[in-house]
Amino acid sequence: MNSDHTSALFGRMDLESLDFLKVFLHPFDTNLLILSGAAWVVILGGIFVVAVMTYMKWWKPLFLDWLISVDHKKIGVMYIVLAFIMLLRGVIEGVVMRAQQADGLHGGFLSADHYAQLFSTHGTIMIFFMLMPFLTGLMNVAVPLQIGARDVSFPMLNSVSLGLTIGGAVLVMVSLVLGEFTTGGWTAYPPYTGSAFQPGVGPDYWIWSVTLSGIGATLTGMNFVVTIYKERAPGMTFFRMPMFTWTALCTAILMVFAMPPLTVASAMLLLDRYADFHFFTNDLGGNMMNYANLFWLFGHPEVYILVLPAFGVFSEVTATFSGKRLYGYGSLVVATMAIAVLSFTVWLHHFFTMGQDSNVNAAFGIATMLIGIPTGVKIYDWMATMYRGRVRFTVAMLWTINFMVLFVLGGLSGIILANPSIDFQTHNTLFLVAHFHNVLIPGVFFGMMAGYNYWFPKLFGFRLNDFWGYVSVWGWTIGFMLVFFPLYVVGLEGMTRRTVSYTDPAYLPWMLLSGLGAIIVTIGLIGIVMQLYVSIRDKEKTLDIGGDPWDARTLEWATPSPVPAYNFPVIPHIHAREAFAVAKEAGAGYQQPTKYTDIHLPGNTWMGVVMMVFGTGFAFAMIWYMWWLAILCLAIVVVSFVGRAIRGDRHPHIVKAADIEREHNAWLEKVRTITPVNREQELKQANLGVAAPEYMEAAQ
Amino acid sequence: MSTVSDAAYQAPGLVYETEHHHDHFSPQKSYMGFWIFMMSDLIIFGLFFATYGTMLGKPSIAGGPGPKEAFELSGAAWETVALLLSTFTFGLASLAMKYDMGKQKILTWMGVTLFLGLCFLGLELREFVTMFHEGHVPQRSGFLSAFFGLVPLHGLHVTSGSIWLIIMMIRIATGPIDELTKSRVARLALFWHFLDLIWVGIFSIVYLGGLA
């Protein structure tokens, strides 16, 4: 791609930018075959989806029931669907990279440039478009229900955040078909990502996709801080909030304060690239260290943005599936807050080797090690929760237990890396790659999967299939160990990260082992897909009508499954921590409210769709220098938002008290007729979502 | 909700007590949301300030003009006067709204605020044009890049504040002054004073500090 040629209509796009044509121009080049193949997968996948949607007449429901909805539960589901789609691509890229390195002694089948694009998109996707949407989705699904709220504080803003996140993901997908992605890694360090070294569209794709989703995440953070502060039900004091809500609060605060540095870093990089500024260039006074600092001021808190909600899920899951009150609630809250604060004090450990004084390194190394303390507290609390509990090894619980074992190992390798003098030996090797995958996969991804298995029945009214669930857990667990533990070894042997090939045959056995692991991870991935398919097919066998299939403890389980749009018929008053467990113990889990009132719900809005379509259009046009399209899209976005601000919500939705009463009574009637089940039958068809008071004495 | 602690003895866990809940517009949430937004925005400004701070050294000036060559105090001083006055007149508009002094008075003070805001923007633009004519462009050095990152960012904020001001003036002129309008004007006032505060930082650090 060359930047000196631009047309008024298509900007700098030309025939060479169309990746899917390359296979016809160079039919015998494996590397280009894969490149074009990927483009064709996206195109054919797109055509297939459009065809299915049209055939099933799903377009109307997609827009009218989902995309314009402001219901936090639906928005949460859409985030998670996005996360799964991007997970597919991210894992496939990971597998291709493992295959390349297994084949990579003196060569391999990928070009260095293509390999660099792969690890750049893999990282960008997994962080920004898989884990972030996943945790945001779980927060959307669970937090308002856990605190007894009708919705988040700013429902339209929530929809706009979703639109921005989808927009960023769309850009990454488009980069497969049109042009290329950056080769500068997910951190996009300049000056390599500056226009002197990469004049093409690659880094611009990166800049715009992370900027869109980063702004979306900032807005989500603001929304959830206000929601958790202002929307709690009467009596839901801070120290009665479920742990997941606590972790969501800390994550939201981190999003508010840690996403702006990313916006600043990418904005400055953008000015460097588009307007020849000299923030990070090699010449005329640019200083790339500013970028390193800005990026990791975001990047390190980001790690805790990702992991804290997962910790919240683990807290809920261990308590529920051990049939015991969560051990050490207070210490878990303090530990969460401590991690959130400390996360801002360690960013420099990402570049120990980049020239600062060793005293500075020592200070940041010690701060880094300190984070191990609150994290360790959490692990002990979860173990103490399980101790003498009656632990049920459900799919969600297995994700959790496997997390506990593997995450401790990842944490320990983190402590090793936190020592600057050791870091000098291991930085930029596969040891580091093994470390962060070891915390992100068992730490965050396992947590997301545990939450997905745990809350799924709440949203859809049926449980997920167990067999394929177990396949996914063990596929991921064993596969993960096989892929990444060898990387620790070759990392210590000096194999650098981000290398397409190597010359030392000593690495080869480990790379083959790692490649084998990639196959097993793929089985885990297939397990996830099959689990969803089989669960939908056989949903009659796992129905959850009563809304409490796990004999769970927090407020969200006191509602019917699937949850009605208004969440609670009457906002409950909370009188205890783990209120639902306490109420069930007293035989008051399912109460008849004495009086109902009308409920006002915010109306649906097209603002999220406008942001998604025209925000993406604007970014796309900026990437390709199609200035007319950029101006047009920006104008549409601005006019729409100003119009909305002036006119307000014109379609608020009122649910009549009588309707609520009727629906709620019908559900209560069902709950009375369902036979409550004990925990031996938890995974059986007989479990219709009403729990027998079995070992409630443990709640004391 | 003063009875939470007593009620804990009567009610196990949770109870659906009858209480009328209003799902109507609540300004409290919007205020809090806006404060949080400003905190987030402040981080952005803080980082542009910090970047500017690191770009004051010789290597970043890269043989180009330093603060003493690039800036002149009188323009920045007049910009400061305009913006500080506008924050005062916005205060008068807020008071007029609070004490129901009538649309006329509110609109007048908001109009004066808008005028002063536009004066500020005009003066700033003139300053930039002068700098461009002298070759002090952001492409010249890291130092000038940092300057043109920070100061126009504030100008961009003032521009969006002015557009918001115009929208609110139209709304007040054409519609009733209800709770929503009042809370929006209150948030706009917060924003305007916030930008004033940022400017005090810019004037002190960039201009006074640079020319001292």
Side-chain angles (χ1 to χ4, degrees), chain A residues 583-612:
Chain A
K584 279 193 289 186
E585 182 198 355
Y590 302 93
Q591 298 168 31
Q592 171 80 57
T594 45
K595 184 167 174 285
Y596 295 86
T597 46
D598 290 357
I599 295 171
H600 298 247
L601 292 176
N604 289 343
T605 173
W606 285 87
M607 284 303 120
V609 177
V610 166
M611 199 66 230
M612 181 173 82

Side-chain angles (χ1 to χ4, degrees), chain A residues 428-445:
Chain A
N428 228 19
T429 66
L430 286 173
F431 188 85
L432 172 76
V433 173
H435 160 70
F436 69 70
H437 282 90
N438 198 345
V439 281
L440 285 176
I441 295 176
V444 189
F445 181 66

Side-chain angles (χ1 to χ4, degrees), chain A residues 341-475:
Chain A
V341 172
L342 285 174
S343 73
F344 282 102
T345 65
V346 299
W347 81 91
L348 201 128
H349 70 213
H350 294 273
F351 45 95
F352 275 148
T353 57
M354 281 161 76
Q356 51 281 333
D357 188 54
S358 57
N359 290 326
V360 175
N361 277 352
F364 279 88
I366 291 165
T368 305
M369 292 180 200
L370 283 179
I371 291 195
I373 297 170
T375 315
V377 167
K378 288 184 167 232
I379 297 275
Y380 283 114
D381 277 337
W382 293 319
M383 294 200 307
T385 306
M386 289 171 67
Y387 180 65
R388 288 194 170 172
R390 282 177 60 182
V391 179
R392 287 110 61 191
F393 294 97
T394 55
V395 176
M397 193 61 189
L398 271 183
W399 283 113
T400 305
I401 293 171
N402 293 357
F403 146 80
M404 283 192 222
V405 177
L406 293 175
F407 186 77
V408 168
L409 294 174
L412 287 175
S413 64
I415 297 287
I416 295 171
L417 285 167
N419 186 330
S421 45
I422 298 179
D423 185 76
F424 264 73
Q425 304 301 316
T426 51
H427 86 280
N428 228 19
T429 66
L430 286 173
F431 188 85
L432 172 76
V433 173
H435 160 70
F436 69 70
H437 282 90
N438 198 345
V439 281
L440 285 176
I441 295 176
V444 189
F445 181 66
F446 283 19
M448 297 298 112
M449 288 310 294
Y452 163 68
N453 279 277
Y454 181 60
W455 280 306
F456 188 89
K458 182 83 303 205
L459 290 170
F460 294 102
F462 57 96
R463 287 175 280 120
L464 284 169
N465 178 280
D466 297 305
F467 172 77
W468 287 105
Y470 290 129
V471 171
S472 65
V473 180
W474 289 112

Side-chain angles (χ1 to χ4, degrees), chain A residues 254-270:
Chain A
L254 289 181
M255 281 175 174
V256 169
F257 293 117
M259 299 312 291
L262 175 68
T263 312
V264 169
S266 59
M268 287 176 176
L269 187 58
L270 185 130

Side-chain angles (χ1 to χ4, degrees), chain A residues 120-175:
Chain A
S120 305
T121 43
H122 174 80
T124 308
I125 285 176
M126 287 307 206
I127 299 285
F128 292 103
F129 302 111
M130 196 282 277
L131 293 177
M132 286 291 274
F134 214 145
L135 71 91
T136 312
L138 288 184
M139 276 163 64
N140 263 293
V141 165
V143 166
L145 288 168
Q146 285 198 326
I147 59 175
R150 293 251 180 268
D151 206 325
V152 294
S153 285
F154 308 114
M156 185 190 90
L157 191 68
N158 207 11
S159 173
V160 169
S161 301
L162 174 70
L164 285 163
T165 311
I166 296 178
V170 166
L171 287 179
V172 180
M173 293 310 278
V174 168
S175 77

Side-chain angles (χ1 to χ4, degrees), chain A residues 291-303:
Chain A
Y291 183 89
N293 278 289
L294 288 170
F295 184 84
W296 289 112
L297 266 176
F298 144 78
H300 201 85
E302 166 71 11
V303 176

Side-chain angles (χ1 to χ4, degrees), chain A residues 25 105 125 397 436 477 553 558 581 636 645:
Chain A
L25 303 175
L105 185 62
I125 285 176
M397 193 61 189
F436 69 70
T477 305
R553 317 182 62 77
I636 293 174

